[in-house]
Amino acid sequence: MAFGRSSRSRRPVEPVTLKILVAGGFGVGKTTLVGAVSEIRPLRTEERLSEAGRPVDDTAGVESKTTTTVAMDFGRITLREDLVLYLFGTPGQDRFWFLWDELAQGALGAVVLADTRRLEDCFAAVDYFERRAIPFTVAVNCFEGADRFPTETVQAALDLDPEVPVLMCDARERSSVRDVLVAVVEHALAHADRLREPATT
């Protein structure tokens, strides 16, 4: 009599862990995105906006925002039994950009979260990842009341390379955020494969 392998005898799978950054302008929804998808209680480093910070923090378009990330957000999601993503949300204001180099070390790829009402706010993140050759995906957070544009229009407005994926998402919805993260991983792995391809003469 043949016996199949018992599920008890299967060795536990040691998952691959990958680091993904979540970047974008001030108030675009980075903390919300990490919190929506994380399977652990997210680590947040939020502080209340102060009167002292108002001259340097541009709150135009997000006047109702009362807190800001001052270091990072951290969360974790298991995409498959053998694949775990660690998510690091970056602070959005210019005065905290010195933290980006530390957060970017060892990152496989990044999400640049965008708001069509303040699209120019994500230029800095796009430039940062392009200069450092870190693969990224642009995710347009579809705020209520914001104009909706085709992904091709967003890609042209941000002057992105054709291979950079642009997706629409709702940073509050777990399934929507998961789709964005899958796209980031696939894009980053395809980028790594291209780098490994032998040069043709």
Side-chain angles (χ1 to χ4, degrees):
M1 182 176 179
F3 292 93
R5 291 186 62 184
S6 167
S7 59
R8 292 182 179 179
S9 65
R10 290 177 57 195
R11 294 182 180 179
V13 175
E14 187 67 29
V16 174
T17 58
L18 303 175
K19 180 179 183 180
I20 301 293
L21 300 184
V22 180
F26 177 59
V28 77
K30 300 180 295 293
T31 297
T32 299
L33 184 148
V34 173
V37 80
S38 181
E39 61 199 16
I40 61 171
R41 183 175 180 179
L43 169 65
R44 293 174 174 165
T45 56
E46 288 194 307
E47 296 292 343
R48 293 191 64 82
L49 289 171
S50 65
E51 288 301 320
R54 291 194 182 278
V56 292
D57 292 333
D58 180 12
T59 58
V62 286
E63 290 84 0
S64 62
K65 187 170 174 60
T66 59
T67 61
T68 183
T69 298
V70 296
M72 68 172 186
D73 298 311
F74 173 77
R76 185 188 71 199
I77 176 175
T78 302
L79 286 185
R80 294 192 316 242
E81 182 184 13
D82 59 347
L83 180 59
V84 173
L85 302 185
Y86 290 129
L87 308 177
F88 290 80
T90 64
Q93 303 98 306
D94 299 7
R95 59 196 172 110
F96 295 124
W97 280 353
F98 67 92
L99 294 169
W100 283 39
D101 287 341
E102 291 291 331
L103 293 175
Q105 290 186 20
L108 173 78
V111 177
V112 175
L113 200 57
D115 178 353
T116 57
R117 300 168 301 180
R118 297 165 48 123
L119 201 56
E120 67 280 0
D121 288 1
C122 67
F123 285 153
V126 169
D127 290 343
Y128 182 90
F129 297 127
E130 285 181 342
R131 288 198 307 269
R132 287 159 180 78
I134 297 175
F136 66 95
T137 293
V138 172
V140 178
N141 193 8
C142 297
F143 287 92
E144 293 180 9
D147 291 333
R148 305 293 176 93
F149 299 97
T151 55
E152 296 83 3
T153 301
V154 175
Q155 192 164 47
L158 294 176
D159 194 25
L160 300 174
D161 290 335
E163 68 269 14
V164 175
V166 178
L167 298 87
M168 301 295 161
C169 79
D170 185 336
R172 302 167 299 181
E173 296 291 336
R174 178 180 175 85
S175 61
S176 182
V177 173
R178 189 180 186 281
D179 289 344
V180 169
L181 295 175
V182 168
V184 174
V185 172
E186 290 177 345
H187 176 56
L189 293 177
H191 176 79
D193 287 342
R194 287 194 297 270
L195 292 180
R196 285 194 291 266
E197 289 176 358
T200 57
T201 53

